[in-house]
C-alpha cells in the first residue's frame, strides 16, 4: 500500500534544510521555484549515489563505457529527437483560481481517487474476512470494485486517445465529463487545453540578429546518441555495448512541486545500450531485472518498488516500463527503462546526413543498432534514499531521536570521532585516528557538548559509526565504536575501526550483491 504521507515529506524537507542536505536555491532572495541547492551533507550523499550507479554500470561491465557531453548541443539535435515539435505538456488553467495544471495530471489524480476507493473496499473486506481473505479473488469478483476498475480503464482509454490524436478539445471534454474541479477554487471553470514546450531556450552569440536559439538539454541521452560513432570507433566497441552518462538536464516543468521530485534543473543518470536489431526485447528484460536488483541491494524495502509497464507507448518504443518507488507521496516514477528501437540514431542520420551504423562482421553488413535505455533521476533517487532513511524513534528511556538509516555505503560521513572530554590528551588522540582514516573515509571530529548530544547529531545526518576516545584509550589503545542503527557500543582495538569501516561502509559489499 502506498505511503501517501504528506507529513513525512514536510519533515524530510525541514530536516534536509536543518542538517545541510538540501537548501532552497538563492534562499536569501526568497528562493526560486522548484530549484534546490545541495548542502554539505547532501553533496556527499549525492556523490555516493552517483558512484554506486557509475561503478555498477561502467566499472562492472566490460562493455559499457562512460562519457560526459556538453549541456548545449547543436539546435538540430532537438529537431531530430522530436523535442522541438513534440516535447509538450497539455496545459489547462482554472479561470477562477488562475492556477495552471497539466491536463493529464488532473485526470491521473482523478484516477488515483478511484484507486483510493478500491483500496478502502479491500481494507474493509480484509478486516471483515480476517485470515480467510483472498485479495485477488475479492478484487476480481466484488461488484463495486469491478465497477471502479472498469471506470478507470475507460478513463485511461479515453486519455490515451486524446494523447495519441493530440485532439485537445477532447481532452477538455474528458475533464468536464469527469466533473473534475480545481483543487484550489473548487470550480469547474476551465480554459481550453493548450500545448506548452518544456525546453528552456537561450541565445548563442553576442551580436544581435546573428544569435541563434539553442536549448538547455532536456535529457542527457541525446549527447550519447550523437557520440555513438565516436565512442564505437575510438573504443573499438562491438555490439552489444553501452554508453553511460551522468549530467544535468533542464525542463520548464509546469507544476514543479513535491520537493526534489520534480525540478526544473535536475540530474539524470542514463545508459543507452546498443544491440543488434531483434535482440532488443531480450536486453530490455535483462536490464529491467538488473536495474531492479541495483535498487533492492540498497535495502530500502523489498515492497517499496514496482514496475509500471506502459501499455501504450511512444511510437518509437516497442517496450517501456517505469520502476516506481513508494515515495511519501505514493508510488511514483523513479526510473524509466525503454526499448527505443532505432528511432534516435535513424533520426540523427536523416538530419545530419551522416551514417550512424555498425558493421557486423558476422552478417557482413551495416545496420543501425537498436537501443535499450535505462534512465534514472539522481535527485529522485536521493529523495527515495532520504524517505526510506528518515525515522523518528522513541528510545527505551522515553527520549526521542531522529535517525537517518542511510545505507552505510551511501552515508555522507562514515565515522565520527569523539573525544570524551576536551582535555587530558583525548582530542589529540582523536585527531590521530582521524588523520589515519581521512584518506579513505569521510570522518568528522566533534568535541562539543555531552556525548549523548553528539551521538544524536551524527544520527541525524546518518553517520553509521561513532568512535569515542576515552581515558582507557590512552592506556590500552582501545576505543568504543557505536553502531547508528542498534546504538550498541563495543570496545575494540583502535586498529579495528578501519576494518569495521572497510567491511560495513564500502561500496564493494553493495556491488557484490548485484
Ligand atoms: P515524469 O513523467 O515524472 O515527468 P518522465 O517520464 O518525463 O517523468 P523521463 O523523460 O523518462 O521522465 O526521464 C527519466 C528520469 O528522469 C525519470 O524517471 C525521473 O527520475 C527523472 N526526471 C524527469 N523529470 C524530472 C524532473 N523534472 N525533476 C527531477 N527528475 C526528473
Amino acid at each position: 500500500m502506498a505511503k501517501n504521507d504528506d507529513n513525512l515529506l514536510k519533515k524530510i524537507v525541514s530536516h534536509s534544510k536543518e542538517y545541510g542536505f538540501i537548501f532552497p536555491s538563492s534562499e536569501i532572495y526568497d528562493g526560486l521555484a522548484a530549484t534546490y541547492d545541495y548542502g554539505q551533507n547532501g553533496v556527499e550523499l549525492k556523490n555516493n549515489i552517483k558512484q554506486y550507479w557509475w561503478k555498477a554500470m561502467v566499472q562492472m561491465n566490460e562493455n559499457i563505457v562512460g562519457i560526459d557531453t556538453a549541456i548545449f548541443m547543436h539546435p538540430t539535435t532537438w529537431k531530430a529527437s522530436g523535442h522541438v515539435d513534440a516535447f509538450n505538456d497539455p496545459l489547462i488553467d482554472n479561470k477562477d483560481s488562475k492556477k495552471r495544471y497539466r491536463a493529464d495530471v488532473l485526470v491521473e489524480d482523478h484516477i488515483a481517487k478511484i484507486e483510493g476507493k478500491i483500496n478502502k473496499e479491500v481494507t474493509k473486506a480484509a478486516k471483515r474476512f480476517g485470515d480467510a481473505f483472498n485479495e485477488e479473488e475479492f478484487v476480481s469478483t466484488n461488484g463495486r470494485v469491478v465497477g471502479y476498475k472498469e471506470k478507470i480503464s475507460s478513463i485511461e482509454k479515453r486519455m490515451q486517445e486524446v494523447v495519441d490524436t493530440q485532439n485537445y478539445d477532447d481532452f477538455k471534454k474528458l475533464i468536464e465529463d469527469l466533473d473534475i474541479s480545481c483543487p484550489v477554487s473548487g470550480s469547474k471553470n476551465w480554459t481550453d487545453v493548450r500545448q506548452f514546450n518544456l525546453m528552456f531556450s537561450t541565445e548563442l552569440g553576442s551580436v544581435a540578429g546573428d544569435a541563434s536559439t539553442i536549448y538547455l538539454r532536456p535529457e542527457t541521452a541525446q549527447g550519447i546518441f550523437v557520440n555513438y560513432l565516436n565512442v564505437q570507433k575510438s573504443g573499438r566497441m562491438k555490439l552489444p555495448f553501452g554508453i553511460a552518462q551522468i549530467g544535468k538536464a533542464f525542463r520548464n516543468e509546469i507544476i514543479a512541486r513535491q520537493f526534489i521530485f520534480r525540478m526544473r534543473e535536475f540530474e539524470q543518470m542514463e545508459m543507452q545500450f546498443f544491440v543488434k536489431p531483434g535482440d532488443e526485447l531480450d536486453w530490455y528484460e535483462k536490464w529491467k531485472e538488473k536495474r531492479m536488483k541495483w535498487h533492492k541491494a540498497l535495502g530500502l524495502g523489498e515492497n517499496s518498488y514496482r514496475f509500471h509497464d506502459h501499455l501504450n507507448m511512444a511510437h518509437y518504443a516497442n517496450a517501456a516500463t517505469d520502476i516506481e518507488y513508494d515515495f511519501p507521496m505514493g508510488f511514483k516514477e523513479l526510473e524509466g527503462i525503454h526499448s527505443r528501437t532505432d528511432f534516435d540514431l535513424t533520426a540523427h542520420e536523416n538530419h545530419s546526413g551522416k551514417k550512424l551504423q555498425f558493421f557486423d562482421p558476422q552478417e557482413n553488413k551495416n545496420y543501425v543498432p537498436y537501443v535499450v535505455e535505462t534512465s534514472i533521476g539522481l535527485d529522485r533517487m536521493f529523495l527515495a534514499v532520504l524517505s526510506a532513511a528518515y525515522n523518528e524513534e522513541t528510545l527505551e528511556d522515553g527520549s526521542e531521536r531522529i535517525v537517518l538509516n542511510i545505507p552505510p555505503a551511501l552515508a555522507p560521513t562514515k565515522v565520527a570521532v569523539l573525544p570524551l572530554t576536551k582535555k587530558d590528551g583525548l582530542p589529540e588522540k582523536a585527531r590521530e585516528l582521524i588523520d589515519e582514516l581521512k584518506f579513505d573515509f569521510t570522518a568528522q571530529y566533534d568535541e562539543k557538548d555531552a556525548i549523548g548530544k553528539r551521538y544524536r547529531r551524527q544520527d541525524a545526518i546518518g553517520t553509521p559509526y561513532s568512535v569515542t576516545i576515552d581515558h582507557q584509550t590512552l592506556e590500552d589503545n582501545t576505543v568504543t565504536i557505536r553502531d547508528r542503527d542498534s546504538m550498541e557500543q563495543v570496545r575494540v582495538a583502535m586498529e579495528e575501526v578501519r576494518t569495521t569501516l572497510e567491511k560495513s561502509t564500502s561500496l564493494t559489499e553493495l556491488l557484490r550483491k548485484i
Side-chain angles (χ1 to χ4, degrees):
M1 188 94 51
K3 284 194 205 96
N4 226 333
D5 187 346
D6 241 11
N7 222 3
L8 175 60
L9 188 63
K10 278 195 196 121
K11 286 179 181 167
I12 290 171
V13 174
S14 72
H15 190 85
S16 294
K17 189 174 160 207
E18 189 177 346
Y19 288 94
F21 282 86
I22 297 169
F23 308 122
S25 173
S26 33
E27 196 190 8
I28 57 168
Y29 296 105
D30 295 334
L32 181 69
T35 318
Y36 292 92
D37 297 337
Y38 285 81
Q40 65 278 23
N41 289 317
V43 70
E44 296 288 344
L45 173 54
K46 199 174 171 191
N47 283 341
N48 292 339
I49 297 173
K50 282 192 210 177
Q51 279 276 315
Y52 177 41
W53 186 86
W54 192 264
K55 285 186 183 231
M57 302 302 270
V58 179
Q59 189 171 316
M60 308 235 333
N61 289 293
E62 258 175 50
N63 59 349
I64 300 184
V65 293
I67 55 172
D68 183 19
T69 69
I71 286 170
F72 290 145
M73 298 182 73
H74 192 284
T76 311
T77 310
W78 306 111
K79 191 82 192 147
S81 68
H83 283 83
V84 170
D85 297 318
F87 194 48
N88 299 313
D89 271 350
L91 287 191
I92 189 164
D93 291 14
N94 182 269
K95 290 184 193 162
D96 298 316
S97 65
K98 308 270 186 280
K99 289 274 172 208
R100 178 163 291 176
Y101 300 94
R102 256 172 62 178
D104 56 326
V105 171
L106 281 181
V107 176
E108 269 163 17
D109 286 350
H110 184 82
I111 291 174
K113 271 190 200 148
I114 305 177
E115 279 170 347
K117 287 182 187 165
I118 295 179
N119 285 341
K120 249 191 207 150
E121 294 290 338
V122 172
T123 314
K124 249 186 358 204
K127 238 190 223 156
R128 188 156 18 105
F129 292 112
D131 286 346
F133 182 59
N134 179 338
E135 181 170 337
E136 214 173 300
E137 191 185 317
F138 177 77
V139 295
S140 56
T141 52
N142 177 276
R144 218 175 276 162
V145 172
V146 171
Y148 287 141
K149 283 189 4 185
E150 278 168 5
K151 209 170 182 178
I152 291 177
S153 67
S154 96
I155 298 172
E156 282 177 338
K157 196 160 155 257
R158 273 187 72 184
M159 184 149 92
Q160 194 57 49
E161 272 166 19
V162 295
V163 170
D164 288 345
T165 57
Q166 306 234 331
N167 183 336
Y168 284 9
D169 291 342
D170 283 356
F171 218 147
K172 185 176 183 191
K173 182 131 197 340
L174 175 60
I175 287 170
E176 285 169 347
D177 289 351
L178 295 175
D179 233 10
I180 295 176
S181 52
C182 167
V184 175
S185 67
S187 94
K188 294 168 192 154
N189 195 5
W190 297 109
T191 62
D192 288 340
V193 176
R194 294 179 322 283
Q195 302 233 32
F196 179 83
N197 193 289
L198 297 182
M199 281 195 294
F200 283 103
S201 61
T202 184
E203 308 265 281
L204 188 72
S206 52
V207 184
D210 285 354
S212 59
T213 300
I214 54 164
Y215 300 98
L216 299 188
R217 66 179 177 199
E219 61 175 31
T220 56
Q222 298 304 325
I224 293 178
F225 287 125
V226 299
N227 277 295
Y228 156 75
L229 209 55
N230 284 336
V231 174
Q232 193 271 320
K233 287 225 171 329
S234 60
R236 293 180 297 121
M237 310 299 289
K238 305 223 172 352
L239 292 190
F241 76 92
I243 306 178
Q245 156 152 257
I246 300 178
K248 290 258 180 173
F250 304 82
R251 297 182 186 179
N252 200 357
E253 301 276 5
I254 310 313
I255 346 168
R257 51 180 179 157
Q258 291 167 333
F259 197 32
I260 54 171
F261 181 82
R262 191 176 298 287
M263 303 199 285
R264 299 206 166 97
E265 174 182 342
F266 57 100
E267 234 168 316
Q268 289 186 315
M269 306 192 283
E270 296 199 293
M271 193 277 299
Q272 317 292 135
F273 200 69
F274 300 91
V275 304
K276 189 174 164 179
D279 288 353
E280 73 277 8
L281 292 178
D282 279 349
W283 281 109
Y284 167 76
E285 290 302 330
K286 279 190 193 138
W287 278 111
K288 265 179 85 168
E289 197 187 313
K290 268 171 167 292
R291 292 304 303 148
M292 190 57 107
K293 245 184 160 172
W294 182 90
H295 285 285
K296 291 203 168 167
L298 285 172
L300 303 186
E302 269 302 299
N303 300 321
S304 299
Y305 303 88
R306 69 183 187 196
F307 283 114
H308 174 228
D309 294 330
H310 295 208
L311 301 177
N312 304 296
M313 48 223 125
H315 57 281
Y316 50 82
N318 62 1
T321 195
D322 296 335
I323 294 179
E324 294 188 336
Y325 179 75
D326 193 4
F327 287 101
M329 316 78 82
F331 275 99
K332 299 253 183 236
E333 174 177 344
L334 170 61
E335 169 159 8
I337 298 162
H338 312 122
S339 171
R340 300 177 63 102
T341 68
D342 57 355
F343 171 80
D344 302 86
L345 288 180
T346 306
H348 287 305
E349 274 198 337
N350 293 339
H351 281 79
S352 68
K354 310 262 164 44
K355 288 248 169 291
L356 296 173
Q357 305 195 344
F358 177 73
F359 176 72
D360 186 331
Q362 266 152 6
E363 305 228 349
N364 197 27
K365 67 173 191 200
N366 286 299
Y367 51 76
V368 178
Y370 270 39
V371 170
V372 175
E373 87 171 351
T374 70
S375 171
I376 172 169
L378 175 53
D379 313 270
R380 281 192 194 176
M381 187 60 206
F382 188 107
L383 183 59
V385 172
L386 263 196
S387 17
Y390 183 92
N391 278 306
E392 291 170 359
E393 292 179 355
T394 307
L395 307 180
E396 271 171 21
D397 65 0
S399 66
E400 308 250 328
R401 75 160 179 166
I402 293 178
V403 55
L404 295 186
N405 302 105
I406 298 174
L410 302 185
T413 301
K414 302 295 187 229
V415 61
V417 182
L418 318 169
L420 194 61
T421 64
K422 276 189 226 172
K423 43 185 205 287
D424 305 335
L426 298 184
E428 289 74 12
K429 195 79 188 160
R431 294 268 185 218
E432 224 175 83
L433 181 59
I434 292 230
D435 283 343
E436 148 67 21
L437 295 175
K438 71 183 177 193
F439 295 99
D440 302 301
F441 307 98
T442 42
Q444 239 183 48
Y445 174 86
D446 189 3
E447 60 173 26
K448 206 168 172 290
D449 300 318
I451 195 79
K453 225 171 173 181
R454 283 183 266 166
Y455 286 151
R456 290 291 171 279
R457 274 204 291 269
Q458 296 301 330
D459 290 342
I461 61 167
T463 307
Y465 296 103
S466 294
V467 172
T468 306
I469 309 288
D470 55 18
H471 290 93
Q472 196 179 326
T473 313
L474 301 179
E475 283 162 29
D476 60 8
N477 236 17
T478 60
V479 296
T480 59
I481 180 159
R482 171 188 181 266
D483 180 284
R484 173 196 70 196
D485 300 342
S486 67
M487 293 185 288
E488 261 166 34
Q489 299 185 31
V490 282
R491 187 165 274 279
V492 297
M494 200 137 125
E495 305 82 67
E496 267 186 52
V497 173
R498 167 176 282 277
T499 323
T500 304
L501 293 179
E502 274 167 359
K503 206 168 70 200
S504 314
T505 72
S506 81
L507 271 178
T508 310
E509 293 311 310
L510 202 52
L511 290 164
R512 274 190 212 287
K513 291 191 201 160
I514 61 177

